[in-house]
Amino acid sequence: MADSARTTTTPFSLDAYLERIGWEGGRRPDTATLRGVQLAHLRTIPFENLDALGGRAPSLDLCDLMAKLVHGRRRGGYCYEHNTLFAAALEALGVRVTRLTARVVVGADRFEDRPRTHMALLAELPGDPQPHLADVGFGALGSLLEPVPLTADTEFHDAGRRHRLVHAPHRGPLETWVLEAHVAGGWQAQYAFTPEPFEPADYEVINWHIATNPRSPFSRRPYVQRLTPDAHLLLDGDRLTVTRTDDGTVTERKLSDETEARRALAEEFGIDAPEGLTLLR
């Protein structure tokens, strides 16, 4: 976007954002609004890495995020895009937000072996001494659907999913928190974080690394997620997996070619893939 355009464009519009996610509830900075807006966001704007797949780090500028995720309507983004936009919405609603980074530790033997590559948020509501972990950008079946209080060893039920926060040993001066999800009959660690704030410049570096590093999974294959009230849809490479919300039934099919992959993105995820982008490699 040209510099002259930036001077005349409003970076963020709360009205446009809430219209995009279909939120018609209250706008008070309270727990009900925080939960409702997070769930509405998750069920409306898909998770996708198509910019990174095309070799380009997506912009985290609010003007660009509004154009792509809000006004564009046929695209989504990954964690830095989603949570940067969500943080702006929460702040416009009167919520104090601390931006965090986390280590994605699904399947990890040692948390320290995983770099901090995920963006999450701490949301503080006026008059509430307990901050909440809020996150609309974790592209996994174990993601939070609603914010949960930053309280250890307590099970939370968020829109049908089960989560808890626990502490993990850590050499540093701050407590390490671990988000766990109850999946496949047991508790599984999702990501680990400490509560110190990170700044936009930090995410610019992490975003560039994740999008452009040839060893990053996001630069090598499509990874797209969509959440509906009935199911969780995931496109991982050429595999389309649908997990039913009611009984956990999983169906999977392999996409045969580029045409079928583009059709699946359009019909199942509501995403128009950029022209010239090769999805299946």
Side-chain angles (χ1 to χ4, degrees), residues 1 6 11 58-70 81:
M1 184 180 295
R6 292 188 190 279
S59 172
L60 303 185
D61 181 88
L62 271 176
C63 290
D64 296 334
L65 293 176
M66 288 292 292
K68 181 183 177 186
L69 275 67
V70 175
E81 298 171 274

Side-chain angles (χ1 to χ4, degrees), residues 14-165:
L14 181 62
D15 289 340
Y17 169 80
L18 295 180
E19 179 183 0
R20 169 71 168 105
I21 66 172
W23 176 251
E24 297 179 348
R27 297 192 180 192
R28 294 174 56 84
D30 55 23
T31 304
T33 301
L34 181 62
R35 289 175 177 168
V37 170
Q38 173 162 323
L39 184 59
H41 181 124
L42 284 164
R43 287 179 172 171
T44 305
I45 308 177
F47 181 102
E48 51 106 326
N49 67 322
L50 299 186
D51 284 351
L53 188 63
R56 182 172 65 89
S59 172
L60 303 185
D61 181 88
L62 271 176
C63 290
D64 296 334
L65 293 176
M66 288 292 292
K68 181 183 177 186
L69 275 67
V70 175
H71 299 303
R73 294 186 177 268
R74 297 288 296 180
R75 286 295 303 273
Y78 61 9
C79 71
Y80 319 115
E81 298 171 274
H82 277 281
N83 279 324
T84 298
L85 182 67
F86 187 44
L90 294 183
E91 288 171 337
L93 288 166
V95 178
R96 182 179 178 184
V97 176
T98 301
R99 292 153 177 83
L100 310 174
T101 62
R103 306 179 190 276
V104 178
V105 296
V106 179
D109 293 325
R110 283 173 25 97
F111 291 175
E112 296 82 358
D113 292 339
R114 299 287 179 87
R116 294 187 186 230
T117 58
H118 178 60
M119 180 182 186
L121 307 173
L122 275 186
E124 298 177 60
L125 302 170
D128 187 343
Q130 189 71 278
H132 286 67
L133 177 66
D135 191 349
V136 294
F138 192 54
L141 191 59
S143 63
L144 283 173
L145 298 187
E146 298 174 333
V148 295
L150 195 66
T151 302
D153 304 316
T154 300
E155 183 174 332
F156 302 103
H157 291 240
D158 49 302
R161 293 184 181 177
R162 297 166 62 186
H163 287 91
R164 68 182 183 186
L165 289 162

Side-chain angles (χ1 to χ4, degrees), residues 158-177:
D158 49 302
R161 293 184 181 177
R162 297 166 62 186
H163 287 91
R164 68 182 183 186
L165 289 162
V166 299
H167 290 306
H170 179 57
R171 294 193 303 271
L174 299 177
E175 290 181 318
T176 292
W177 295 82

Side-chain angles (χ1 to χ4, degrees), residues 4 7 9 15 71 95 138-139 147 155 167 195 198 221 268 273 277:
S4 60
T7 62
T9 302
D15 289 340
H71 299 303
V95 178
F138 192 54
E155 183 174 332
H167 290 306
F198 282 72
R221 70 183 193 274
E268 303 291 344
L277 176 65

